[in-house]
């Protein structure tokens, strides 16, 4: 066999893939951040399992009137890590000895343990405290990963591309996890869905230990850093992203309650979930192109304007087709806006 054909051998490619953890492959568009790919994938896999188990036990297993207060309480628990603890998480992570890699491993390992505990408490008093703690650790993971990306990449111009491809692998992992979670939910119940999620979190924690050390950072004055973080660009991006997230959350739950009240079959909720997932996946391809053509400001503006137009059309003619179109556009807009926001902050 010739040297060229040996180099192209599938087994050789698989051995290289297993040995170097994606570093030499152009999957992320930047060699420095390559090993984040499997860590992100397993975190998303576990997160999807966690979400499906809670939605299955809080929403679909009860009547509409019983589901409403449960969803309100769940939303309060979900929002708390962002509203109350988010300002504290970043400074706390910066003080951890061992850096962001240790934080990623600890967050994933903690979520694995808590998911196993939650599997036994889905109808108990510890449901919401455990779910809250898992969500807090999810926020810790997100903040630490976003902080680690810019110090792993070899070229800062790759940030949107790297973030887009991390989101893309999240979409693929989330879709696979959702299909598996629904199958486990139907056959064994939400407790076993959480146990499968705990396994994914545990694997992700082990992979986080293999992340490479970050590139040396230049020392920046705390005053300059604070001025950059409080500048008009970051403030505008934060306001735009916050508004979009609020609109997406409201519309998704509004559509869900309307469809449940109309007696729509459970499979249609699956169609809506697939539509928003496909939209988010498409947004990961669109975001780098918009960044090259127009910049992050235009990305955020388009992400805010597009769902507004489609939501207006859906309000005038609400049925299955317009509902699917709306959640698909919401998925695209949320994905594009998140890539622009991450670029501005990073």
């Amino acid at each position: 066999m010739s040297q060229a054909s040996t180099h192209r051998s599938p087994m050789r490619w698989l051995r290289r893939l297993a040995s170097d953890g994606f570093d030499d492959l152009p999957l992320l568009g930047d060699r420095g951040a390559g090993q984040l790919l499997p860590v992100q994938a397993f975190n998303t896999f576990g997160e999807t399992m966690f979400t499906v188990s809670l939605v299955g036990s809080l929403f679909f297993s009860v009547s509409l009137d019983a589901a409403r207060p449960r969803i309100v309480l769940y939303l309060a628990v979900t929002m708390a890590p962002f509203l109350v603890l988010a300002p504290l998480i970043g400074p706390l992570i910066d003080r951890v000895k061992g850096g962001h890699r240790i934080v990623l491993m600890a967050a994933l390992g903690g979520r694995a343990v808590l998911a196993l505990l939650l599997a036994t408490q889905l109808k108990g008093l510890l449901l919401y405290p455990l779910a809250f703690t898992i969500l807090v650790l999810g926020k810790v993971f997100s903040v630490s990963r976003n902080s680690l990306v810019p110090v792993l990449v070899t070229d800062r111009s790759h940030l949107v591309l790297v973030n887009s491809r991390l989101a893309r692998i999240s979409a693929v992992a989330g879709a696979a996890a959702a299909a598996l979670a629904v199958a486990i939910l139907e056959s064994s119940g939400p407790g076993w869905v959480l146990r499968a999620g705990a396994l994914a979190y545990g694997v992700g924690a082990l992979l986080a230990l293999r992340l490479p050390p970050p590139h040396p950072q230049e020392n920046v004055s705390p005053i300059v850093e604070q001025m950059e973080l409080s500048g008009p660009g970051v403030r505008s991006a934060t306001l735009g992203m916050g508004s979009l997230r609020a609109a997406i959350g409201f519309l998704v739950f509004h559509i869900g309650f309307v469809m449940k009240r109309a007696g729509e079959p459970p499979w249609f909720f699956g169609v809506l979930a697939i539509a928003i997932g496909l939209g988010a996946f498409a947004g990961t391809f669109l975001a780098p192109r918009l960044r090259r053509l127009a910049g992050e400001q235009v990305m955020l503006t388009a992400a805010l304007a597009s769902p507004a137009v489609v939501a207006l059309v859906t309000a005038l003619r609400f049925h299955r087709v317009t509902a699917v179109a709306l959640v698909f556009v919401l998925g695209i807009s949320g994905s594009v806006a998140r890539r622009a926001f991450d670029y501005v902050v990073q």
Side-chain angles (χ1 to χ4, degrees):
M1 182 180 292
S2 67
Q3 183 176 359
S5 62
T6 302
H7 180 73
R8 291 192 297 267
S9 167
M11 290 304 297
R12 183 182 179 88
W13 185 87
L14 288 173
R15 284 196 299 270
R16 182 161 60 92
L17 182 63
S19 64
D20 63 21
F22 303 91
D23 272 346
D24 292 330
L25 300 177
L27 291 174
L28 282 177
D30 188 288
R31 292 177 51 157
Q35 286 181 318
L36 270 175
L37 182 72
V39 177
Q40 179 67 23
F42 279 102
N43 175 71
T44 303
F45 203 96
E47 183 113 22
T48 303
M49 292 283 184
F50 167 67
T51 302
V52 169
S53 68
L54 289 190
V55 170
S57 59
L58 293 176
F59 188 66
F60 290 110
S61 62
V62 296
S63 66
L64 180 62
D65 291 336
R68 189 175 288 109
R70 292 189 179 193
I71 293 298
V72 171
L73 183 56
Y74 175 71
L75 285 175
V77 172
T78 302
M79 292 169 61
F82 294 92
L83 297 178
V84 179
L85 297 175
L88 306 176
I89 289 173
L92 181 63
I93 290 174
D94 290 336
R95 293 191 181 96
V96 173
K97 187 175 181 180
H100 294 81
R101 292 180 298 168
I102 302 300
V103 174
L104 289 180
M105 183 205 68
L108 287 165
R111 298 186 98 186
V113 173
L114 291 170
L116 289 175
L117 294 175
L118 183 60
T120 66
Q121 295 292 325
L122 286 172
K123 295 184 179 179
L125 296 176
L126 294 179
L127 168 63
Y128 289 104
L130 288 171
F132 173 79
T133 309
I134 291 174
L135 290 166
V136 170
L137 290 178
K139 184 62 178 176
V140 170
F141 177 90
S142 177
V143 171
S144 185
R145 183 209 60 207
N146 288 342
S147 300
L148 193 60
V149 168
V151 296
L152 285 180
V153 297
T154 55
D155 186 344
R156 294 297 177 89
S157 65
H158 293 167
L159 280 174
V160 171
L161 180 61
V162 168
N163 286 319
S164 294
R165 292 187 175 177
L166 281 170
R168 197 174 304 156
I169 194 63
S170 293
V172 173
L180 179 60
V182 170
I184 297 175
L185 185 67
E186 292 294 327
S187 62
S188 305
W192 284 101
V193 177
L194 277 169
R195 293 181 180 96
L199 177 62
Y201 285 138
V203 174
L206 295 176
L207 292 173
L209 285 175
R210 300 181 65 244
L211 288 172
H215 302 300
Q217 289 285 93
E218 58 179 298
N219 292 325
V220 179
S221 167
I223 298 176
V224 174
E225 188 174 297
Q226 185 60 36
M227 289 176 61
E228 290 180 346
L229 289 175
S230 60
V234 174
R235 286 204 307 267
S236 299
T238 301
L239 179 61
M241 189 65 196
S243 301
L244 183 62
R245 291 291 291 269
I248 289 175
F250 172 80
L251 288 172
V252 166
F253 279 100
H254 175 68
I255 291 173
F257 279 117
V258 169
M259 293 296 179
K260 189 173 178 68
R261 186 180 296 111
E264 292 289 347
W267 62 262
F268 186 68
F269 290 91
V271 171
L272 294 177
I274 292 172
I276 199 168
L278 288 175
F281 188 72
T284 64
F285 291 94
L286 184 60
R289 289 163 176 77
L290 283 176
R291 171 69 183 85
R292 289 195 298 267
L293 293 174
E296 58 275 6
Q297 293 86 355
V298 175
M299 290 171 65
L300 280 169
T301 302
L304 287 165
S306 299
V309 173
V310 180
L312 180 61
V313 174
T314 305
L316 296 174
R317 305 235 359 186
F318 188 85
H319 49 73
R320 286 182 178 180
V321 174
T322 55
V324 171
L326 177 57
V327 297
F328 178 75
V329 173
L330 288 175
I332 293 177
S333 298
S335 181
V336 169
R338 185 53 193 250
R339 308 292 81 77
F341 178 75
D342 286 345
Y343 178 83
V344 171
V345 174
Q346 289 171 347

